Amino acid sequence: MVPFAWIRLCYRASHVDKYTEEDMYAFLRWIDLRANRGGNVHIDVHGRENIPEKDGFMFFPNHQGLYDVLAVIEASPRPFSVVAKKEIANIPFLKQVFACMKAYMLDRDDVRQAMQVIIDVTKEVKKGRNYLIFAEGTRSKNGNIIGTFKGGSFKAATKARCPIVPVALIDSFKPFDTNTIRSVTVQVHFLKPLLYEEYKDMKTTEIASLVQKQIQEKIDANI
């Protein structure tokens, strides 16, 4: 099964324009589900009803490790893309997954490129595409204790005036960052979205602080 799935994934990653986003996302979920089963990883999902029915929203999860996006892919029935740091673009499997998602690779040392990514993501969200951004900027080294959320990560959301969906990830660092063959359960909690009317008068730093607080409280209540 693995060679067959790998060949299909590599082909799709090299021919992304041949497929609709819905078809590509369904394929990625098929790959993801079987990889999780093979790796003895169980995704425990809560709050799917909080995912907006209308496209054009953004997920803001805490960042625990390289596995995070794969956890959200299985958990979310709605297609989304990702803004991730460029270093991940060279990691096998994740490289192909992100190519299939037409993800943006962010160069944190290039301010002009970062601003262009914000502009491009804003335009796509306004057109109805969904995105995921890690507001911490880099993964936490403290497991289920999250780092500081950066206000700049929310600029695309505020410019697009879209719903902000906080996502609490619990134990998402374990599948890739711990050496164990034991069964691992990763919790994915979709929190109630913040609508534009609720945050339009807030600074991005205030939004970041609020989302961070909500996620940490959800994590603390479930570990």
Side-chain angles (χ1 to χ4, degrees):
M1 189 69 181
V2 172
F4 172 68
W6 175 249
I7 290 170
R8 289 187 64 190
L9 177 62
C10 290
Y11 179 83
R12 284 186 173 238
S14 299
H15 301 84
V16 292
D17 293 329
K18 290 183 64 175
Y19 306 92
T20 65
E21 184 171 39
E22 290 74 19
D23 179 72
M24 189 72 87
Y25 189 70
F27 169 74
L28 288 177
R29 292 192 80 200
W30 178 82
I31 288 274
D32 194 28
L33 180 61
R34 280 149 186 81
N36 287 336
R37 286 178 177 172
N40 214 10
V41 179
H42 172 67
I43 306 298
D44 184 18
V45 188
H46 303 265
R48 277 201 182 108
E49 68 277 4
N50 289 322
I51 300 176
E53 294 182 2
K54 183 179 179 180
D55 286 327
F57 58 83
M58 297 185 71
F59 289 134
F60 285 90
N62 54 306
H63 195 9
Q64 294 195 340
L66 297 173
Y67 182 76
D68 295 346
V69 172
L70 301 178
V72 181
I73 287 175
E74 179 174 331
S76 172
R78 306 290 293 281
F80 66 93
S81 188
V82 180
V83 176
K85 57 185 180 181
K86 67 175 185 177
E87 291 81 2
I88 295 178
N90 296 319
I91 299 176
F93 186 65
L94 289 180
K95 175 182 179 180
Q96 285 74 24
V97 169
F98 284 175
C100 289
M101 300 176 83
K102 295 184 179 180
Y104 282 100
M105 296 293 106
L106 187 67
D107 185 351
R108 292 179 293 181
D109 296 325
D110 188 337
V111 176
R112 181 175 295 181
Q113 189 263 1
M115 288 301 298
Q116 188 59 51
V117 168
I118 291 174
I119 292 171
D120 292 341
V121 170
T122 299
K123 290 179 179 177
E124 292 193 19
V125 172
K126 284 182 176 180
K127 292 178 181 178
R129 201 155 188 245
N130 310 316
Y131 269 87
L132 179 151
I133 292 181
F134 293 110
E136 289 164 274
T138 188
R139 58 180 174 166
S140 169
K141 298 297 194 298
N142 298 310
N144 291 312
I145 300 175
I146 65 179
T148 302
F149 277 32
K150 298 175 174 58
S153 302
F154 292 85
K155 286 184 178 179
T158 58
K159 289 180 182 295
R161 301 184 177 186
C162 71
I164 292 171
V165 184
V167 183
L169 300 177
I170 300 176
D171 291 340
S172 186
F173 63 93
K174 290 184 176 180
F176 283 177
D177 297 348
T178 58
N179 295 318
T180 180
I181 59 174
R182 294 180 179 177
S183 176
V184 173
T185 296
V186 175
Q187 296 182 47
V188 180
H189 297 261
F190 297 104
L191 280 59
K192 182 180 177 182
L194 289 172
L195 304 180
Y196 177 68
E197 291 73 20
E198 299 175 276
Y199 68 75
K200 64 180 181 179
D201 296 324
M202 299 172 65
K203 298 177 180 178
T204 54
T205 52
E206 293 173 331
I207 299 171
S209 179
L210 175 61
V211 172
Q212 177 185 332
K213 179 175 180 291
Q214 290 179 343
I215 292 175
Q216 189 64 67
E217 288 177 348
K218 179 61 70 171
I219 292 173
D220 293 343
N222 287 276
I223 57 175

